[in-house]
Amino acid sequence: MGSPLTIRDVARFFWPLAFTAELMMVSHTIIHAALARMGHPTETLAAFSIASSVHTILAAPTVITPFTALAFLRDRQSLLALLWFHGLVILAPITIMLAVGLTPLGDFIFGQILGASPGVTNQARHASLIFMLIPPIIALRAMPTALLMLNRRTIDITYGTMVRLITLVGLLAFIPRLVSGAPAGVWSLVLCIGVETIFLYYVARDFLYALPKKEGQSTLFGEVWSFAWPLLSSQIAESSMALVTNIFIGRLARADLALAAYGVVRGLAMLLLTPLRTMAQTAQTLVRSRGGEEFVLIRFTLIAVTVASGIILVLFWSPIRPWILGGVMGLPDNVSAYCSNGVRTMLLVPMFWGYAALFRGLLSGLRRTKVIGLSSIVKLAAVVSVGAWALYDIEANGTVIGMAALAAAAGGESLLLGWWLFSPKGAGR
């Protein structure tokens, strides 16, 4: 631990997490591909897309659970305190998802706000009831995930995600025989995440048993909340971006087609870009001082961003793009054609996305998270500014609007956090 941090150290920690994130997003792409092969694919894809976007916002508190666990998990007492904290944080989202699925609130959100047709709205409401099961599973999964990171066993996290992916493929072959439409995809997702969580607890069991009963001062709820609320507000803003974008896209001339296509393009973007988000956990775990180690992480992030941009160029700026959208994804011709410009616009995102994640991780490691909360305002303002394009040009391509909004949000966040870290008036001095 006393030797300087090197690019190789970062790579050894980062790439298993990046591969894990990639596998997680592959699961969503597999679900999209399975839904595209069901009856009424446009309606089914649109329902899964909007239900997923609402769930992503409501389940935002679960995304911060690995960060709070990394920051505070040190003994069995803190483990119990974190479980209580995570349970309280996810209580409201679960309640709201229940209301969306069972009350007219779902019709209002999906039908009125998002502009979906009655058939899409009905499927989305049923899907929301099933999505309600995911937050508690994710909150439980944060504990073994954090322990494996703290003990530099990120490869075991990758193995867990491989178990999840294999389970998902099997479930998608079976569950559509019992449930049709978007709910079939959500049930498959819930069950495969549950299997993954059980596996992670199994491989982390020795680290759990090795936790001391109590070490140092007790972990206080207020201390955890002070650290977590800016991360939570930032994550809610990030999760809201898909919903806000869908609101604008739902006002385009071909709303159902635009919603379905944007769901596919966003899924592909998350597949390729989500690995860069693991720079946040990498930075929070590895940076141990202010003696130059952050610049090693900055250089490594440039390498990761370059790799992601190269993959996008190969996949979507070459003749194989129609084959990926039509053959691999199994999209109908009209949806595939609509997605083409959107997947090319994706190239605007990686640089901003990667450095925004890195700066969040560095600030979390310093426990200077308040500016991360401020960045949530910047992100949402950027999305609204770009999304308003749909109100002025109803024939615009919804997937291009979505990717441009994502790039603007990540750009605003990375510039704000970077300034705060390294300016004389910010945290860096």
mmCIF file of all heavy atoms in Angstrom, residues 271-294:
data_model
loop_
_atom_site.group_PDB
_atom_site.id
_atom_site.type_symbol
_atom_site.label_atom_id
_atom_site.label_comp_id
_atom_site.label_asym_id
_atom_site.label_seq_id
_atom_site.Cartn_x
_atom_site.Cartn_y
_atom_site.Cartn_z
ATOM 1 N N LEU A 271 -24.645 0.340 -22.707
ATOM 2 C CA LEU A 271 -23.807 -0.842 -22.890
ATOM 3 C C LEU A 271 -22.352 -0.453 -23.124
ATOM 4 O O LEU A 271 -21.428 -1.039 -22.555
ATOM 5 C CB LEU A 271 -24.335 -1.660 -24.073
ATOM 6 C CG LEU A 271 -23.465 -2.811 -24.574
ATOM 7 C CD1 LEU A 271 -23.362 -3.896 -23.510
ATOM 8 C CD2 LEU A 271 -24.031 -3.382 -25.867
ATOM 9 N N LEU A 272 -22.123 0.560 -23.941
ATOM 10 C CA LEU A 272 -20.768 0.947 -24.312
ATOM 11 C C LEU A 272 -20.136 1.944 -23.341
ATOM 12 O O LEU A 272 -18.908 1.987 -23.202
ATOM 13 C CB LEU A 272 -20.772 1.548 -25.721
ATOM 14 C CG LEU A 272 -21.211 0.600 -26.836
ATOM 15 C CD1 LEU A 272 -21.284 1.334 -28.165
ATOM 16 C CD2 LEU A 272 -20.266 -0.597 -26.937
ATOM 17 N N LEU A 273 -20.952 2.751 -22.667
ATOM 18 C CA LEU A 273 -20.413 3.838 -21.851
ATOM 19 C C LEU A 273 -20.428 3.572 -20.351
ATOM 20 O O LEU A 273 -19.642 4.176 -19.612
ATOM 21 C CB LEU A 273 -21.193 5.129 -22.134
ATOM 22 C CG LEU A 273 -21.159 5.625 -23.583
ATOM 23 C CD1 LEU A 273 -22.063 6.834 -23.746
ATOM 24 C CD2 LEU A 273 -19.739 5.960 -23.999
ATOM 25 N N THR A 274 -21.311 2.683 -19.895
ATOM 26 C CA THR A 274 -21.397 2.431 -18.464
ATOM 27 C C THR A 274 -20.077 1.955 -17.855
ATOM 28 O O THR A 274 -19.786 2.291 -16.706
ATOM 29 C CB THR A 274 -22.526 1.426 -18.166
ATOM 30 O OG1 THR A 274 -23.778 2.055 -18.467
ATOM 31 C CG2 THR A 274 -22.541 1.019 -16.707
ATOM 32 N N PRO A 275 -19.244 1.166 -18.560
ATOM 33 C CA PRO A 275 -17.945 0.828 -17.966
ATOM 34 C C PRO A 275 -17.148 2.040 -17.505
ATOM 35 O O PRO A 275 -16.413 1.967 -16.518
ATOM 36 C CB PRO A 275 -17.236 0.083 -19.104
ATOM 37 C CG PRO A 275 -18.347 -0.563 -19.864
ATOM 38 C CD PRO A 275 -19.466 0.435 -19.816
ATOM 39 N N LEU A 276 -17.309 3.173 -18.193
ATOM 40 C CA LEU A 276 -16.592 4.377 -17.777
ATOM 41 C C LEU A 276 -17.076 4.885 -16.424
ATOM 42 O O LEU A 276 -16.323 5.548 -15.704
ATOM 43 C CB LEU A 276 -16.754 5.473 -18.833
ATOM 44 C CG LEU A 276 -16.143 5.188 -20.208
ATOM 45 C CD1 LEU A 276 -16.472 6.318 -21.175
ATOM 46 C CD2 LEU A 276 -14.635 4.998 -20.099
ATOM 47 N N ARG A 277 -18.314 4.580 -16.067
ATOM 48 C CA ARG A 277 -18.830 5.021 -14.765
ATOM 49 C C ARG A 277 -18.092 4.366 -13.614
ATOM 50 O O ARG A 277 -18.083 4.896 -12.503
ATOM 51 C CB ARG A 277 -20.323 4.710 -14.655
ATOM 52 C CG ARG A 277 -21.196 5.519 -15.578
ATOM 53 C CD ARG A 277 -22.664 5.270 -15.315
ATOM 54 N NE ARG A 277 -23.028 5.675 -13.961
ATOM 55 C CZ ARG A 277 -24.254 5.521 -13.457
ATOM 56 N NH1 ARG A 277 -25.198 4.971 -14.186
ATOM 57 N NH2 ARG A 277 -24.520 5.904 -12.233
ATOM 58 N N THR A 278 -17.496 3.211 -13.854
ATOM 59 C CA THR A 278 -16.779 2.544 -12.767
ATOM 60 C C THR A 278 -15.493 3.279 -12.399
ATOM 61 O O THR A 278 -14.844 2.920 -11.413
ATOM 62 C CB THR A 278 -16.454 1.089 -13.138
ATOM 63 O OG1 THR A 278 -15.627 1.065 -14.309
ATOM 64 C CG2 THR A 278 -17.719 0.300 -13.416
ATOM 65 N N MET A 279 -15.129 4.315 -13.141
ATOM 66 C CA MET A 279 -14.022 5.160 -12.711
ATOM 67 C C MET A 279 -14.345 5.822 -11.376
ATOM 68 O O MET A 279 -13.433 6.166 -10.620
ATOM 69 C CB MET A 279 -13.719 6.233 -13.758
ATOM 70 C CG MET A 279 -12.916 5.766 -14.960
ATOM 71 S SD MET A 279 -11.379 4.885 -14.554
ATOM 72 C CE MET A 279 -10.564 6.039 -13.458
ATOM 73 N N ALA A 280 -15.622 6.010 -11.077
ATOM 74 C CA ALA A 280 -15.994 6.618 -9.792
ATOM 75 C C ALA A 280 -15.591 5.716 -8.631
ATOM 76 O O ALA A 280 -14.919 6.150 -7.689
ATOM 77 C CB ALA A 280 -17.496 6.894 -9.768
ATOM 78 N N GLN A 281 -16.004 4.432 -8.675
ATOM 79 C CA GLN A 281 -15.610 3.503 -7.609
ATOM 80 C C GLN A 281 -14.107 3.269 -7.595
ATOM 81 O O GLN A 281 -13.495 3.136 -6.536
ATOM 82 C CB GLN A 281 -16.331 2.165 -7.769
ATOM 83 C CG GLN A 281 -17.831 2.239 -7.542
ATOM 84 C CD GLN A 281 -18.577 2.314 -8.850
ATOM 85 O OE1 GLN A 281 -18.166 3.002 -9.787
ATOM 86 N NE2 GLN A 281 -19.701 1.614 -8.917
ATOM 87 N N THR A 282 -13.497 3.241 -8.780
ATOM 88 C CA THR A 282 -12.049 3.045 -8.866
ATOM 89 C C THR A 282 -11.307 4.175 -8.167
ATOM 90 O O THR A 282 -10.391 3.947 -7.365
ATOM 91 C CB THR A 282 -11.612 2.964 -10.340
ATOM 92 O OG1 THR A 282 -12.286 1.868 -10.967
ATOM 93 C CG2 THR A 282 -10.112 2.756 -10.454
ATOM 94 N N ALA A 283 -11.696 5.413 -8.461
ATOM 95 C CA ALA A 283 -11.035 6.566 -7.859
ATOM 96 C C ALA A 283 -11.280 6.616 -6.352
ATOM 97 O O ALA A 283 -10.354 6.855 -5.568
ATOM 98 C CB ALA A 283 -11.527 7.854 -8.514
ATOM 99 N N GLN A 284 -12.530 6.371 -5.937
ATOM 100 C CA GLN A 284 -12.842 6.436 -4.508
ATOM 101 C C GLN A 284 -12.044 5.403 -3.721
ATOM 102 O O GLN A 284 -11.590 5.659 -2.603
ATOM 103 C CB GLN A 284 -14.341 6.215 -4.279
ATOM 104 C CG GLN A 284 -14.751 6.357 -2.812
ATOM 105 C CD GLN A 284 -16.233 6.101 -2.599
ATOM 106 O OE1 GLN A 284 -16.972 5.849 -3.549
ATOM 107 N NE2 GLN A 284 -16.678 6.174 -1.358
ATOM 108 N N THR A 285 -11.832 4.230 -4.295
ATOM 109 C CA THR A 285 -11.138 3.156 -3.585
ATOM 110 C C THR A 285 -9.622 3.331 -3.617
ATOM 111 O O THR A 285 -8.942 3.110 -2.607
ATOM 112 C CB THR A 285 -11.497 1.795 -4.200
ATOM 113 O OG1 THR A 285 -12.920 1.637 -4.212
ATOM 114 C CG2 THR A 285 -10.884 0.657 -3.402
ATOM 115 N N LEU A 286 -9.078 3.760 -4.744
ATOM 116 C CA LEU A 286 -7.632 3.711 -4.935
ATOM 117 C C LEU A 286 -6.882 4.968 -4.521
ATOM 118 O O LEU A 286 -5.713 4.891 -4.140
ATOM 119 C CB LEU A 286 -7.307 3.418 -6.408
ATOM 120 C CG LEU A 286 -7.672 2.031 -6.926
ATOM 121 C CD1 LEU A 286 -7.218 1.873 -8.370
ATOM 122 C CD2 LEU A 286 -7.056 0.932 -6.062
ATOM 123 N N VAL A 287 -7.510 6.132 -4.655
ATOM 124 C CA VAL A 287 -6.750 7.337 -4.344
ATOM 125 C C VAL A 287 -6.535 7.423 -2.832
ATOM 126 O O VAL A 287 -7.469 7.395 -2.047
ATOM 127 C CB VAL A 287 -7.430 8.605 -4.896
ATOM 128 C CG1 VAL A 287 -8.718 8.939 -4.157
ATOM 129 C CG2 VAL A 287 -6.479 9.782 -4.866
ATOM 130 N N ARG A 288 -5.282 7.488 -2.409
ATOM 131 C CA ARG A 288 -4.966 7.420 -0.980
ATOM 132 C C ARG A 288 -4.347 8.705 -0.462
ATOM 133 O O ARG A 288 -4.138 8.848 0.735
ATOM 134 C CB ARG A 288 -3.992 6.259 -0.724
ATOM 135 C CG ARG A 288 -4.509 4.912 -1.164
ATOM 136 C CD ARG A 288 -3.587 3.807 -0.699
ATOM 137 N NE ARG A 288 -2.272 3.902 -1.286
ATOM 138 C CZ ARG A 288 -1.905 3.366 -2.461
ATOM 139 N NH1 ARG A 288 -2.814 2.721 -3.171
ATOM 140 N NH2 ARG A 288 -0.680 3.485 -2.919
ATOM 141 N N SER A 289 -4.005 9.608 -1.348
ATOM 142 C CA SER A 289 -3.396 10.858 -0.905
ATOM 143 C C SER A 289 -3.623 11.902 -1.976
ATOM 144 O O SER A 289 -4.181 11.619 -3.031
ATOM 145 C CB SER A 289 -1.895 10.662 -0.680
ATOM 146 O OG SER A 289 -1.231 10.491 -1.916
ATOM 147 N N ARG A 290 -3.167 13.122 -1.708
ATOM 148 C CA ARG A 290 -3.241 14.173 -2.719
ATOM 149 C C ARG A 290 -1.877 14.368 -3.364
ATOM 150 O O ARG A 290 -1.585 15.416 -3.925
ATOM 151 C CB ARG A 290 -3.719 15.486 -2.081
ATOM 152 C CG ARG A 290 -5.127 15.402 -1.512
ATOM 153 C CD ARG A 290 -6.152 15.219 -2.594
ATOM 154 N NE ARG A 290 -6.219 16.381 -3.450
ATOM 155 C CZ ARG A 290 -6.834 16.402 -4.617
ATOM 156 N NH1 ARG A 290 -7.405 15.309 -5.079
ATOM 157 N NH2 ARG A 290 -6.859 17.496 -5.339
ATOM 158 N N GLY A 291 -1.007 13.366 -3.257
ATOM 159 C CA GLY A 291 0.363 13.503 -3.731
ATOM 160 C C GLY A 291 0.555 13.115 -5.179
ATOM 161 O O GLY A 291 1.553 12.487 -5.518
ATOM 162 N N GLY A 292 -0.357 13.421 -6.040
ATOM 163 C CA GLY A 292 -0.181 13.172 -7.453
ATOM 164 C C GLY A 292 -0.916 11.968 -7.987
ATOM 165 O O GLY A 292 -0.948 11.749 -9.189
ATOM 166 N N GLU A 293 -1.533 11.157 -7.089
ATOM 167 C CA GLU A 293 -2.190 9.946 -7.568
ATOM 168 C C GLU A 293 -3.403 10.263 -8.432
ATOM 169 O O GLU A 293 -3.773 9.473 -9.295
ATOM 170 C CB GLU A 293 -2.575 9.059 -6.388
ATOM 171 C CG GLU A 293 -1.361 8.500 -5.670
ATOM 172 C CD GLU A 293 -1.731 7.490 -4.597
ATOM 173 O OE1 GLU A 293 -2.903 7.451 -4.213
ATOM 174 O OE2 GLU A 293 -0.841 6.744 -4.169
ATOM 175 N N GLU A 294 -4.035 11.408 -8.202
ATOM 176 C CA GLU A 294 -5.192 11.754 -9.016
ATOM 177 C C GLU A 294 -4.803 11.930 -10.476
ATOM 178 O O GLU A 294 -5.596 11.669 -11.376
ATOM 179 C CB GLU A 294 -5.877 13.019 -8.484
ATOM 180 C CG GLU A 294 -5.060 14.291 -8.610
ATOM 181 C CD GLU A 294 -4.119 14.517 -7.452
ATOM 182 O OE1 GLU A 294 -3.843 13.550 -6.709
ATOM 183 O OE2 GLU A 294 -3.641 15.648 -7.283
#
